Amino acid sequence: MHSKKLSNKLWRQKYLILMIFPFIIWLIIFRYIPLWGWIMAFQDYKPGRPIWNQEWVGFRWFVEMFQDPDFYKAMRNTLVMSFMGLIFGFPLPIVLALLLNEIKNIAFKRTVQTISYLPHFVSWVVVASLVSEILSPSGVINQILQKLHLTNYPIMFMAEPRYFWWIVTFSDIWKELGWNTIIYLAAITSINPELYEAATVDGAGRFRKMISITLPGIMPTVTVLLILSIGNIINIGFEKQFLLRTAATRDVADVIDLYILTYGIGTGRYSFGTAAGVFKSVVSLVLLVFANWFSKKTTGYRMM
């Protein structure tokens, strides 16, 4: 009986299954099949020889990585910039989505949405050039500060390590803020309009409806995205750091991905780079499972 119900349910959802099938194939080909390459982390891999004929070295590369001071610098930079992005960057799309939802003029709302989405489609090469120009000694920021008599001389923002993490964080927020509101706006549309009508009858204002109806209504979506963000804390990429860093800020700019690129692939130590990649994946998995467990215990919402 149970198998018959399952078969009927699958048949009713056959078109949905067909729609996700190409994505499952993509996931298997590009995410799961490459996992066999993890065995390189336990070998002294030499290009040109079959992978099954490589020398096995056990945990040699992991030991070497954990003994490297540069690894801990990269880990520090990765975690700090990730947490800054999570603290400042995660709540802002939610706030913007709530504010956009309150705009009643459709034309104005769509205009604001379009403008806020545009930076997402600008490459980091262009964004880094803009940021460097704006923060240069002759840039608009220094001109404003000098005109307001807040400083008597230009500040070398791009050459000061203490500013680098903030520059990366807020550059990323500016670029992705509008785009990240899309999923929250979609979640808001699923909220029952009758709840707003009942709240209006009870005398609730727009702010009260926002706090008591809209925000709780999108909380499952917020929870799932927060769990995914925590799971990706160590996976922040390297493009923005690579493009925005200078010789003076290198110590605070190098992240795990740049560490892998520089000390692994860049020097031909493919096994070492693979070991660092395996470490990243394991840490991400542990963080994801922990965030999911903690969310289930504290809020009742979970991703899996």
Side-chain angles (χ1 to χ4, degrees), residues 37-93:
W38 277 14
I39 63 175
M40 289 171 55
F42 307 96
Q43 299 174 329
D44 186 9
Y45 179 78
K46 303 294 184 184
R49 288 161 51 184
I51 197 165
W52 52 85
N53 287 338
Q54 302 289 335
E55 179 188 356
W56 292 90
V57 296
F59 291 95
R60 168 185 165 186
W61 303 117
F62 292 94
V63 172
E64 185 174 327
M65 180 177 66
F66 291 131
Q67 291 177 343
D68 186 2
D70 289 333
F71 168 76
Y72 293 100
K73 285 184 183 179
M75 178 61 72
R76 177 203 63 188
N77 298 337
T78 301
L79 293 176
V80 171
M81 281 185 272
S82 293
F83 278 112
M84 289 176 69
L86 192 63
I87 293 169
F88 296 103
F90 186 80
L92 289 179

Side-chain angles (χ1 to χ4, degrees), residues 145-158:
L145 292 175
Q146 287 178 295
K147 286 186 181 298
L148 294 175
H149 302 290
L150 296 176
T151 180
N152 295 323
Y153 52 88
I155 300 174
M156 305 292 289
F157 288 105
M158 302 303 294

Side-chain angles (χ1 to χ4, degrees), residues 89 92-93 96 116 172-182:
L92 289 179
L96 181 58
S116 66
D172 190 47
I173 291 173
W174 172 82
K175 188 175 185 297
E176 302 297 339
L177 176 60
W179 185 258
N180 289 338
T181 63
I182 293 176

Side-chain angles (χ1 to χ4, degrees), residues 205-222:
R206 294 171 67 177
F207 183 76
R208 173 53 60 186
K209 286 186 282 188
M210 184 192 303
I211 299 300
S212 301
I213 298 176
T214 309
L215 193 56
I218 65 173
M219 194 52 65
T221 303
V222 173

Side-chain angles (χ1 to χ4, degrees), residues 5-170:
K5 287 183 178 179
L6 179 61
S7 299
N8 291 335
K9 187 174 182 180
L10 291 175
W11 178 253
R12 289 196 304 269
Q13 298 179 350
K14 58 183 179 294
Y15 296 112
L16 293 175
I17 294 173
L18 287 174
M19 288 174 64
I20 67 171
F21 193 70
F23 298 100
I24 294 175
I25 298 297
W26 177 90
L27 189 68
I28 292 172
I29 293 174
F30 293 102
R31 295 296 183 182
Y32 284 98
I33 292 179
L35 289 178
W36 74 273
W38 277 14
I39 63 175
M40 289 171 55
F42 307 96
Q43 299 174 329
D44 186 9
Y45 179 78
K46 303 294 184 184
R49 288 161 51 184
I51 197 165
W52 52 85
N53 287 338
Q54 302 289 335
E55 179 188 356
W56 292 90
V57 296
F59 291 95
R60 168 185 165 186
W61 303 117
F62 292 94
V63 172
E64 185 174 327
M65 180 177 66
F66 291 131
Q67 291 177 343
D68 186 2
D70 289 333
F71 168 76
Y72 293 100
K73 285 184 183 179
M75 178 61 72
R76 177 203 63 188
N77 298 337
T78 301
L79 293 176
V80 171
M81 281 185 272
S82 293
F83 278 112
M84 289 176 69
L86 192 63
I87 293 169
F88 296 103
F90 186 80
L92 289 179
I94 301 172
V95 174
L96 181 58
L98 293 173
L99 295 176
L100 286 172
N101 185 59
E102 295 301 317
I103 298 176
K104 303 306 178 185
N105 188 313
I106 301 299
F108 179 70
K109 179 179 179 179
R110 289 178 177 173
T111 301
V112 173
Q113 285 180 272
T114 302
I115 294 172
S116 66
Y117 296 163
L118 286 177
H120 171 78
F121 299 99
V122 180
S123 73
W124 267 111
V125 175
V126 177
V127 172
S129 298
L130 289 172
V131 172
S132 298
E133 184 63 29
I134 290 171
L135 296 177
S136 67
S138 60
V140 63
I141 299 298
N142 270 307
Q143 290 182 22
I144 292 173
L145 292 175
Q146 287 178 295
K147 286 186 181 298
L148 294 175
H149 302 290
L150 296 176
T151 180
N152 295 323
Y153 52 88
I155 300 174
M156 305 292 289
F157 288 105
M158 302 303 294
E160 286 283 350
R162 57 179 173 167
Y163 297 130
F164 184 81
W165 291 339
W166 296 101
I167 292 170
V168 170
T169 300
F170 286 104

